[in-house]
Amino acid sequence: MNFRKKLALLFAVLITDAFLGYGLSVMLRADGTARERHTGTAVSAKARIRSGGVLALTFDDGPNAAYTEPLLDGLRERGVRASFFLLGDCIRGNEAIVKRMCDEGHLIGVHGMSHTDLTRESTEEALEQIAETRAMIEAITGKTPEYVRPPYGNWNEELNEATDMTPVFWSVDSLDWKLRDTWQIVRSVEKDAENGAVILMHDEFDTSVEAALQLVDNLTASGYTFVTVDELTVD
Ligand SMILES: [Zn+2]
């Protein structure tokens, strides 16, 4: 079943329940617990309960010639800025997309040159990868990236000491690369969404783009504000 059909089905269920009179009693419950139990698969329920706060959407492994621009279009329509951690190998040929990310206020960070585990290389090689990708981004945007997301989240003390970049990890893994289903991705993120969450996604699948924009709509309606990772306050 595709996403639109699922959404239509959800609305049909909600409307049917409203006709049965149950919806009204659920809506009258202020604490939201009834709504959560009632809707079951209505993925916004938990997010509504824990409404408010800030979230950072982050996208790794791009830019992607097919999917990054539709994502940028959707984010622009919604006035939302995200954080992109780029691969040097993917920047080549997609420079205009990188420039657009910067022009539209998104944060651009380094993911690496070719998605290798930086902790499995010599520190010199790892630093070279980071520096090379950083220089590519700087040449396009005129800004020096300050944040790095190491592939697989693998980082170590040596790298930390040797670079002035700030590593950025994540608190919510959307598993978008594995699920490849818009509805499931939305549900997996919404169940863990909370104030200060850093959401990991990949702008290389149509389902990821659809899910990201759906998440922006749902979670904004739940009272969340989307920020770039540099805007998240660290306790
Ligand atoms: Zn990656």
Side-chain angles (χ1 to χ4, degrees), residues 6-235:
K6 283 178 182 170
L7 199 61
L9 180 64
L10 174 64
F11 279 125
V13 168
L14 291 174
I15 289 164
T16 306
D17 280 329
F19 274 114
L20 291 173
Y22 185 66
L24 183 63
S25 65
V26 169
M27 274 156 37
L28 292 172
R29 290 282 294 272
D31 63 11
T33 49
R35 176 162 38 195
E36 186 188 356
R37 189 189 67 232
H38 166 59
T39 52
T41 55
V43 291
S44 291
K46 277 195 176 176
R48 268 194 209 105
I49 295 165
R50 288 187 252 160
S51 63
V54 291
L55 300 170
L57 273 179
T58 68
F59 298 92
D60 288 3
D61 298 2
N64 182 285
Y67 300 117
T68 303
E69 293 223 81
L71 174 62
L72 292 174
D73 292 342
L75 293 174
R76 186 171 59 186
E77 277 168 27
R78 291 160 176 82
V80 164
R81 291 174 302 122
S83 305
F84 291 86
F85 295 93
L86 308 183
L87 287 174
D89 284 350
C90 296
I91 292 173
R92 289 194 190 97
N94 291 315
E95 289 85 351
I97 299 176
V98 179
K99 182 77 171 72
R100 182 181 164 189
M101 279 176 188
C102 177
D103 290 346
E104 296 185 358
H106 301 289
L107 182 141
I108 302 177
V110 167
H111 197 37
M113 275 306 290
S114 52
H115 215 278
T116 51
D117 179 343
L118 298 174
T119 62
R120 286 176 170 267
E121 298 184 16
S122 70
T123 303
E124 291 69 29
E125 283 170 339
L127 290 173
E128 208 170 291
Q129 275 218 42
I130 293 170
E132 199 179 342
T133 312
R134 198 181 195 187
M136 287 176 84
I137 295 168
E138 190 177 353
I140 297 165
T141 66
K143 290 182 184 171
T144 310
E146 294 173 27
Y147 296 85
V148 57
R149 168 166 285 151
Y152 316 104
N154 290 343
W155 193 242
N156 59 33
E157 199 54 44
E158 230 178 325
L159 287 168
N160 214 37
E161 291 291 319
T163 176
D164 60 344
M165 298 192 82
T166 304
V168 177
F169 302 94
W170 58 87
S171 61
V172 178
D173 188 348
S174 70
L175 296 174
D176 59 337
W177 58 273
K178 192 162 84 175
L179 295 170
R180 307 284 286 274
D181 176 287
T182 305
W183 192 249
Q184 285 188 45
I185 298 165
V186 169
R187 188 165 52 191
S188 94
V189 171
E190 287 200 338
K191 73 177 168 52
D192 294 327
E194 61 182 353
N195 184 27
V198 177
I199 302 163
L200 171 64
M201 302 190 79
H202 301 81
D203 50 328
E204 54 182 336
F205 308 105
D206 57 348
T207 45
S208 298
V209 173
E210 264 193 9
L213 298 177
Q214 189 64 53
L215 280 164
V216 168
D217 292 341
N218 292 0
L219 294 168
T220 300
S222 299
Y224 285 104
T225 304
F226 287 88
V227 298
T228 47
V229 291
D230 59 328
E231 294 173 312
L232 285 176
T233 50
V234 180
D235 292 324

